[in-house]
Amino acid sequence: ERLSLEWTRAGVLTRASLAAAKPGAAGHARALPPATESQLPVEPLLDAWRQLVLAVLTPAAQASLQLRGNVYASMLHFLGGVRKLAAASADENEVRPRSRLVAGALDVLSNSTLGDRLLETVSADAADASDAWKTVAFSLLDAVAALYASETRPNRVVLFLTHKNFFSSYVGALIRREDQALQLTLQPDPASLNALYIYEAKMAFFIRLAQRQDGADKLIENGVLDVLADCSFLNMRPSASSDAAGFADAFIPARAERFHQLLMPALDLVLALAAKIGRDNVTVWMKVARFVSQHHGVLEAVLKEAALPAHPLSMALLAEAKAASALVFYVARQRA
């Protein structure tokens, strides 16, 4: 009852497919022989990619969010396979400087109006679609941004989102609409976790963009540091004993795990942005310091808990302590 029929159709399946692409996930599945690009018919694969892009732009798909969303999921699978094949080819030290599949997939988007038309549709869905399909749209934006990142010129996704003013919409929504919804995901028995899944997909996209200077600059210009500093859900860290009441649900993680899913993307994004800030940019460093100040209670609690000799040091707590320590170090060094 907690999971809408739409989410069951889209969100769960998409998150499962994305999780399968994460490092280490392969260990939970049957091992397959490694494949390389040279073993596959590249041109038919690129034609399939072109047809997927065209499918999103058909009148039928433009009129049906569910149809578009299913095509988005297929595109995610395709781009995930392209990344794996490109990595396998690199491991083989193949002579070509860039994967033919990556170059070909880029050509489909870059050598016509298809790329901008696709971004127009996906970006709008990431802003305004229903919850399940927002998650899929942000995940596809992340995958397309990763594809464009193989180019040396400024990322076309960043240029497009800036031109169409989507950056301010995505960043502003964190405080206007999503902060309250994310607070509700930390209740002992939340009615829905859809807001958490949207947040994870959006923040993964932001972190991807922040790896390059152009993306980091645009995120900062659109106020992402100010917005994260003002988000109340980041101050709602549950106590270590909050899950001891015996509540259990197969679909809902423990409150501590849910908070970890909220905190780590925020810390990772601020750290990624901090790495791109010049030491002379006092204004931006003041924004980073404000983030630390606004959430100092949470950061302090993480570090204190990690330092307790009798407290078990989980991987989640270790990751939080590492990120919190790095962030405090950056701010302290800047003030020195």
Side-chain angles (χ1 to χ4, degrees):
E1 292 179 356
R2 290 191 182 90
L3 301 178
S4 66
L5 178 60
E6 187 177 41
W7 178 252
T8 302
R9 288 173 177 169
V12 171
L13 293 177
T14 302
R15 282 175 55 79
S17 66
L18 293 175
K22 292 182 178 178
H28 301 291
R30 181 173 59 89
L32 295 175
T36 62
E37 184 181 294
S38 59
Q39 298 172 308
L40 297 173
V42 173
E43 292 306 320
L45 287 172
L46 292 176
D47 186 61
W49 167 247
R50 185 179 298 105
Q51 294 305 316
L52 285 172
V53 176
L54 290 170
V56 172
L57 305 174
T58 60
Q62 291 295 303
S64 171
L65 176 59
Q66 184 171 342
L67 177 56
R68 287 199 306 279
N70 279 288
V71 179
Y72 292 168
S74 297
M75 296 174 80
L76 277 168
H77 280 292
F78 181 92
L79 292 177
V82 166
R83 287 195 300 272
K84 290 180 179 179
L85 287 168
S89 296
D91 289 343
E92 283 194 340
N93 296 315
E94 295 188 9
V95 294
R96 48 184 175 269
R98 187 170 66 179
S99 161
R100 287 173 59 206
L101 271 175
V102 171
L106 272 172
D107 286 343
V108 170
L109 301 181
S110 302
N111 294 341
S112 66
T113 63
L114 288 181
D116 284 350
R117 291 167 63 197
L118 174 67
L119 286 175
E120 182 81 49
T121 300
V122 181
S123 300
D125 285 339
D128 300 321
S130 58
D131 286 353
W133 298 118
K134 275 186 182 179
T135 306
V136 181
F138 271 120
S139 298
L140 182 55
L141 281 176
D142 183 26
V144 173
L147 186 66
Y148 278 121
S150 64
E151 299 180 313
T152 55
R153 59 186 176 180
N155 195 305
R156 284 188 60 180
V157 175
V158 173
L159 296 175
F160 180 87
L161 295 180
T162 302
H163 178 66
K164 297 292 185 175
N165 205 33
F166 280 112
F167 266 122
S168 62
S169 173
Y170 296 160
V171 172
L174 276 171
I175 196 70
R176 289 195 310 269
R177 296 196 303 264
E178 296 166 17
D179 188 22
Q180 182 64 36
L182 290 170
Q183 293 179 50
L184 295 177
T185 66
L186 292 172
Q187 292 182 343
D189 188 9
S192 171
L193 294 182
N194 287 1
L196 172 59
Y197 302 145
I198 296 169
Y199 170 82
E200 286 185 297
K202 177 187 288 190
M203 293 296 281
F205 175 50
F206 284 177
I207 291 168
R208 170 88 60 192
L209 298 183
Q211 304 304 314
R212 291 175 53 141
Q213 192 67 50
D214 54 346
D217 289 343
K218 293 304 178 183
L219 286 168
I220 293 170
E221 286 176 19
N222 284 277
V224 72
L225 290 171
D226 297 312
V227 166
L228 289 175
D230 292 331
C231 284
S232 298
F233 68 86
L234 292 174
N235 289 327
M236 296 179 62
R237 186 174 190 263
S239 63
S241 59
S242 62
D243 292 313
F247 171 76
D249 191 300
F251 291 102
I252 299 181
R255 289 178 67 194
E257 183 178 342
R258 280 176 265 151
F259 183 76
H260 176 75
Q261 291 173 263
L262 294 174
L263 179 63
M264 280 308 302
L267 294 179
D268 287 341
L269 178 57
V270 176
L271 284 170
L273 295 173
K276 297 297 183 181
I277 303 170
R279 294 202 65 178
D280 295 333
N281 198 332
V282 177
T283 301
V284 178
W285 276 110
M286 288 178 64
K287 296 178 184 293
V288 177
R290 180 171 176 266
F291 173 88
V292 173
S293 176
Q294 291 290 93
H295 304 301
H296 74 277
V298 167
L299 300 178
E300 182 181 21
V302 167
L303 295 174
K304 283 184 175 180
E305 187 173 322
L308 290 175
H311 193 279
L313 191 60
S314 65
M315 292 299 296
L317 180 58
L318 184 60
E320 292 174 8
K322 179 182 178 181
S325 300
L327 190 54
V328 171
F329 169 76
Y330 275 138
V331 173
R333 184 184 64 176
Q334 183 64 22
R335 289 182 171 180

